[in-house]
Amino acid sequence: MAAREADAGPAPEARGKVTITEIARRAGVSVPTVSRVVNGRSDVSPRTRARVEDLLQRHGYRKRPAAPGTRAALLDLVFDDLDSPWAVEIIRGVEEVAHAAGVGTVVSAIHGRAGDAREWLRNLRARASDGVILVTSTLEPVLHQELRILGVPLVVVDPAGSPALDVPTVGAANWSGGLAATEHLLSLGHRRIGLIAGPPRLLCSRARFDGYRAALEGAGLTVDDTLVVPGDFHPESGFTGCNALLDLAEPPTALFAASDQMALGAIEALRRRGLRVPEDMSVVGFDDLPEVRWSAPPLTTIRQPLADMGTLAARTVLRLTRDERPDSPRVELGTELVVRASTAPVATA
């Protein structure tokens, strides 16, 4: 008799009180996966669905009535800042995948501020997003831990620092891009090559600088610290940095700006001084944003596959929501030199 009572399942007073979080823990899956089973969605493997449904039945879980206007199937796409065409390209790639999968996208900016991150987390809990894509932001341990507690899958695009080992990342070949940009200028006979660098806290900035240094060393040159000025990827810092280089007793004959926007700011600084690109200074950017092919002159740059990075990040996080592991936890997409009219051989006296 005792055995038959044990087979009957939880006592009546316990039925219906188990949470999705508890079901997810016992099934060894994420909270969004259990939510998809509860809501009858098809994007769950048959084996996982059977395991979760068995636990739901045994624990007598009852789905709460949905609040009016609520919607499932969401991805959170989080940037440090949104004031750049660079962000638009990432969004375009994510949106393409999300739309095809019938998933909505919520775009946020946390501006590197703890208060904004906490507010975003509160909103994330309220809307029960299926997954998070974090772009060029530092994955703080507290943020990572909170997402793990919530059971929300995470992918980081172009990480600012070294992410946790269990977090998939998508980036670009920044080192080889910096190398190719500098080698292109060297091939045109330039030897005094300035660099407007990106923020040093970002891995992509440091990798582009290292590629610049490797190209110079490969040509038997050393980095002249006076030719390297700081930037923040925005046009204003390109304008300021180029002016600082032009004020040197011996300015560079060519310039590698670690972002297209800084390159455009540098070109404006040259224009205001009555200098021509590329006759007086060659300029190379990095990103290949859509507008640089229409700049004056069209910009030589390193094409970074920004939309493809967004596409891959979205596909990866959707795989994680189905409890599938990505093919590789660390992916770097290739970069490519695109030669246009802003570079030319060094002028001879």
Side-chain angles (χ1 to χ4, degrees), residues 128-208:
S129 287
D130 291 292
V132 171
I133 300 171
L134 192 65
V135 185
T136 58
S137 297
T138 302
L139 181 56
E140 300 292 348
V142 173
L143 179 61
H144 184 207
Q145 180 63 20
E146 182 67 21
L147 291 173
R148 292 184 65 180
I149 291 171
L150 292 173
V152 179
L154 170 68
V155 174
V156 177
V157 176
D158 220 0
S162 299
L165 294 177
D166 62 338
V167 177
T169 64
V170 177
N174 290 290
W175 182 88
S176 62
L179 181 80
T182 312
E183 286 184 336
H184 171 63
L185 294 171
L186 288 165
S187 73
L188 295 172
H190 296 280
R191 291 298 178 266
R192 286 186 61 77
I193 301 172
L195 170 67
I196 304 178
R201 68 180 182 85
L202 299 180
L203 288 177
C204 62
S205 299
R206 300 200 295 272
R208 291 171 199 180

Side-chain angles (χ1 to χ4, degrees), residues 272-314:
R272 292 193 189 185
R273 294 210 184 191
L275 299 174
R276 299 166 301 164
V277 176
E279 291 86 353
D280 298 306
M281 184 181 289
S282 288
V283 178
V284 179
F286 199 111
D287 285 329
D288 196 26
L289 297 175
E291 62 264 34
V292 301
R293 68 194 66 179
W294 306 110
S295 62
L299 183 67
T300 295
T301 188
I302 299 297
R303 177 174 294 152
Q304 183 175 201
L306 297 169
D308 291 342
M309 290 161 64
T311 295
L312 180 58

Side-chain angles (χ1 to χ4, degrees), residues 197-239:
R201 68 180 182 85
L202 299 180
L203 288 177
C204 62
S205 299
R206 300 200 295 272
R208 291 171 199 180
F209 175 77
D210 288 342
Y212 163 82
R213 177 178 18 226
L216 291 177
E217 291 175 349
L221 304 172
T222 57
V223 174
D224 182 344
D225 291 337
T226 65
L227 296 180
V228 179
V229 295
D232 60 9
F233 288 160
H234 297 296
E236 295 80 5
S237 66
F239 182 86

